[in-house]
Each structure stands twice: as structure tokens, then as C-alpha cells.
Amino acid sequence: MRAFGWFIITLLLGACSADKPSKKCIYPAGDLFFSKEKAGWDEVYIGREYADTVLVYNPTKTGIRLEGFSHIPEVACKKIGHSEQDWNLGGYTVDPGTCDTLIVTLRLKNESMLGNYYNVMRFMINGEVDYNYGFMIDVPVREDFDHWSEEEKARAPHFMVDSTERNFGTLREGEESKMIFKIRNVGERNLIIRKIETTCGCTAVLPGQRVLLPGKEMDLNVIFHSAGRSGKQRKVITLFCNDPRQPKIQLVVKGEVN
């Protein structure tokens, strides 16, 4: 067991051994080099915490000051073995010829962040920002239903729509078209529309309400504005709700503008 423990420690230390940093750290920022430029999460869930590691290598013969540039509330960073407070109070110095490990943490607590989360964390190198490098977070965000009991899932809200597509036909440029999707909750709990996204600002979505009682129906009003548009049109409306069977629903409006 002791030998196995030393083996694990050796692996961790070996991640930044003297003969490897130049091969792993290929993204330059100032005089430093980083090992990656994007977080490795495939998807994340509201209410959970996710961490990823980034190696940073100083190939020079002098210490280099490293600190965060922009404050992103849901994203935290720290050097391994140190605290987030240390980072927030001014970062730290990457010693000459050494490779350090940064831990980047993502915490999303608000359902308004459902959908796709995108942000770029940038760094200050010796007091200057290098915009050529940033650690990117680009990941789908889902609602977590794993904590629901089997009984809760059986009585869950259930989203139904009369059709997932509307065709507004042919419009003259500048005209608008109003369409209605009929939404019904056929489940046993309140259906909550968490968030609505559209692929274009030309499409306005006006829900009759955000909370739909069991057995009730509402109109989802959609207005397509054709000003500045021409040719065939296809716009996607994405609804995020608390139906665990289909928490993400996509509706389509399409037609043509002459």
C-alpha cells in the first residue's frame, strides 16, 4: 500500500517534471506557456461543482508574476496547494524553470445559465494582459434531476405541444407574422419554463405564463419580424423546463421573405 502511495505521488510530481513541460505546455502567454486552452467538461449541471487542471510553465531564469485579469463570479482559479483567496489577493510567482498546476473551478447555481455557457478566463503576466491566450469554457448546462426520487419522477411535470413547427408562409420584407404554439402540462406537478432562447433577435417569444399547473394549457406567442431579412427563413426557439424527460425543447418557425 505504501509503495502504491509513492507511485501516485510520483505520477503527480511527474506531470511537471523537468523533461516534460516543454512538450505539454504549448500555448504561450507572455513568457509563460500553458498546457491547454479549453476546459475538458462535456456538459455540466446546475448546482454541481466542476474542476479542471491547467499546467503553466516558466522556461525563463527569472520569476514571473501570474494573476487573473477579469473577475468571473462562477469561475474560480487557484494554484494547487494554495487557496482561491491567495489567487484573488494578487496571484503568485511562477519560479524560474518550474511548472505549476492551476485548478479552475466552475460553479453554476442559477437556472438562468441553462443552455450553453461560454466564457474566457484571461491572465496577467507580470502585470500585463496577453489577449492572445485565454482559458475557454464552452459547455452545455443542464438541470440536475438525479436527486429526484422515483415517486417525484413518476409525478413530474410533462411538457406537451400541439406542434413543434410553424410555417408563416411568404412575407414581404418589413412585415411581421404572429404565431401561437399551444403548450400543455399533462404531468402531476407544476411545469416551470426556466428559460427561453432564440437563434435570432428577429424572433420574439411571449409566453402566457412561466408556471403551468397540471392539466392546464397556455399560448406561447411568437412574433417574427422580417425587417432586414430575405429568402428562406428558419428560426429555432429553445425552451428549458423542469420536465426531466425533456428538459430542453426546440420549436421552429420558418417561411420565406421576399
Side-chain angles (χ1 to χ4, degrees):
M1 179 63 72
R2 180 176 298 178
F4 178 75
W6 278 110
F7 174 71
I8 295 297
I9 293 173
T10 302
L11 283 179
L12 291 172
L13 294 176
C16 277
S17 61
D19 61 337
K20 293 183 179 179
S22 60
K23 296 181 180 179
K24 291 188 175 183
C25 300
I26 59 175
Y27 301 101
D31 290 328
L32 295 176
F33 288 85
F34 291 78
S35 62
K36 63 175 70 172
E37 58 180 356
K38 183 179 180 181
W41 309 304
D42 293 327
E43 63 180 10
V44 299
Y45 291 85
I46 295 291
R48 297 187 190 180
E49 180 177 298
Y50 297 84
D52 200 357
T53 58
V54 186
L55 305 181
V56 54
Y57 174 53
N58 177 5
T60 73
K61 296 182 180 181
T62 59
I64 297 176
R65 193 72 184 171
L66 174 66
E67 56 188 301
F69 171 60
S70 55
H71 176 65
I72 306 171
E74 59 275 8
V75 180
C77 185
K78 67 179 181 179
K79 175 185 174 181
I80 192 168
H82 291 250
S83 68
E84 292 176 10
Q85 184 178 14
D86 293 337
W87 178 265
N88 294 334
L89 291 176
Y92 74 103
T93 298
V94 185
D95 292 330
T98 63
C99 179
D100 291 335
T101 302
L102 300 180
I103 301 176
V104 179
T105 305
L106 178 67
R107 307 181 186 97
L108 300 177
K109 300 179 181 180
N110 194 323
E111 281 81 7
S112 66
M113 292 184 173
L114 288 167
N116 195 78
Y117 179 85
Y118 177 83
N119 228 318
V120 178
M121 184 173 64
R122 301 197 183 278
F123 301 92
M124 293 184 68
I125 316 295
N126 279 338
E128 295 186 3
V129 183
D130 189 329
Y131 288 98
N132 293 318
Y133 173 79
F135 183 76
M136 179 174 61
I137 301 173
D138 188 4
V139 62
V141 182
R142 309 286 184 242
E143 186 168 354
D144 184 7
F145 296 102
D146 289 346
H147 65 283
W148 285 29
S149 67
E150 291 303 317
E151 181 181 357
E152 287 177 314
K153 291 178 180 178
R155 300 179 57 202
H158 188 20
F159 181 101
M160 292 286 288
V161 62
D162 60 342
S163 175
T164 58
E165 189 174 288
R166 290 284 187 273
N167 191 321
F168 56 77
T170 301
L171 300 176
R172 291 182 179 180
E173 193 273 331
E175 293 180 336
E176 68 177 29
S177 177
K178 297 180 181 180
M179 294 151 282
I180 296 176
F181 291 89
K182 295 285 187 181
I183 294 174
R184 187 174 180 85
N185 178 11
V186 297
E188 298 183 33
R189 293 177 58 180
N190 291 351
L191 176 69
I192 303 173
I193 305 298
R194 302 285 196 196
K195 187 178 181 181
I196 301 174
E197 292 181 343
T198 62
T199 54
C200 177
C202 62
T203 308
V205 182
L206 306 172
Q209 57 200 83
R210 290 280 184 161
V211 180
L212 192 58
L213 299 177
K216 297 298 182 179
E217 185 178 87
M218 75 170 183
D219 291 344
L220 185 73
N221 296 282
V222 178
I223 303 174
F224 172 75
H225 301 274
S226 67
R229 308 287 159 183
S230 64
K232 292 184 178 180
Q233 305 291 312
R234 185 180 187 276
K235 309 303 177 185
V236 178
I237 301 161
T238 304
L239 305 179
F240 299 90
C241 69
N242 64 331
D243 179 351
R245 284 163 289 192
Q246 47 178 351
K248 177 181 175 181
I249 303 99
Q250 291 192 319
L251 309 175
V252 174
V253 295
K254 66 179 183 178
E256 189 165 355
V257 179
N258 291 331

